[in-house]
Amino acid sequence: MTRPSYNTGKGFFTLDGKLYDANGVEFRIKGANRAHYDVAPKGAALAKINAFRLGTPLWSGPGAAVIADVDAMIANHIVPILGLWFTTSDYSEAGNVTCKPSTGAGLNVFNTAVSQWVTWYSTYQSKGYEKYMLLNIANEWGSAWSAGDTSFLTAYQGAIDTLRQKGFLATLVIDAGGCGQDPASLLKFAQALYDHDPQHNILFDLHIYGNFCETSQGVSCQSWQTPLMATFDSLKAIKSPSHGAIPFLVGEFGPGKGIGPSPTQLTPGYIIQQANTHGFGWLAWAWDDNNLPNCSANDDGFGMLTHACQGYAASADLTAFGKDVIETPSYGTQANAVPATVF
């Protein structure tokens, strides 16, 4: 695909609902999240993961550990989707953008996150990262949509303006409001945000946990839940009058099994297959979910590895969740993920 004339970057770009790499080849994200930027993801290349999404500590400037991690992902032909979770080195809740409202203190921490990206620009430019990375502005930030509330839209319009004016031309990733799970915030505002961006280069990210159900899968729907397939159908149907379909990503999903703070029984396989059917990329949570410092995990959690520090060398190194996402022949990364052609 030829890069559109209005897109002046040198890296990934979006067009009519699809994500393309710098060579104009469609890139379908099939990978995982990482909870720990400072622990090397050993075996990710063997797993054929083609993208990692992870929190990036930007409060201390360039950060040698961050640079080393990004460089290693690029060297292993893995697209870095760098995001911002915390804005303070003490990892305080006040400095956490996750699940914060779109107004008041929540807006303040969001603006801090955007300013930290601006400070990081010199590293992004000097290292030539634009060609290889996507920029996830703020993890699961913003209120769930309610009638008459445009605070989510206004804040992200300002962030887009700031980042583009600074010189960030990479694809921007914008998470849904409501802790990443509110499809209404994307259904209401994705088109307006996409059209607002002069580069028209945004990938919208929805996270699939307890807010979703599917009666066909034996997961009954409560009044506050949203059927997954119908949600994906609605997102797929969004069109920009000038630029066609809007691109979407399933940026997080877990092992199901009714665990975690937002439990669901929807299986990884069903979520992945629905994402594939709708043309959405996907990222499992998580390669190394909170199984440090002892580096061990178990099948009761969200980790894909039995030993995060050891990594993946054989099937025995994976939890049931990891085996499902990586080794299932019909949809797992090992048989189905294709790397970007820019490496």
Side-chain angles (χ1 to χ4, degrees), residues 220-253:
S220 60
C221 293
Q222 305 302 315
S223 60
W224 48 271
Q225 290 180 306
T226 305
L228 183 70
M229 188 187 304
T231 297
F232 284 4
D233 287 346
S234 296
L235 294 174
K236 184 74 172 178
I238 299 175
K239 304 286 185 181
S240 163
S242 302
H243 302 98
I246 306 296
F248 290 94
L249 167 70
V250 178
E252 289 187 21
F253 62 90

Side-chain angles (χ1 to χ4, degrees), residues 42-47 287 304-307 310-320 322-324 326-327 334:
K42 299 175 183 176
L46 176 62
W287 178 262
M304 295 167 64
L305 300 174
T306 56
H307 296 83
Q310 177 180 312
Y312 170 55
S315 187
D317 299 322
L318 300 173
T319 63
K323 291 176 183 177
D324 193 359
I326 292 170
E327 296 184 338
Q334 205 160 55

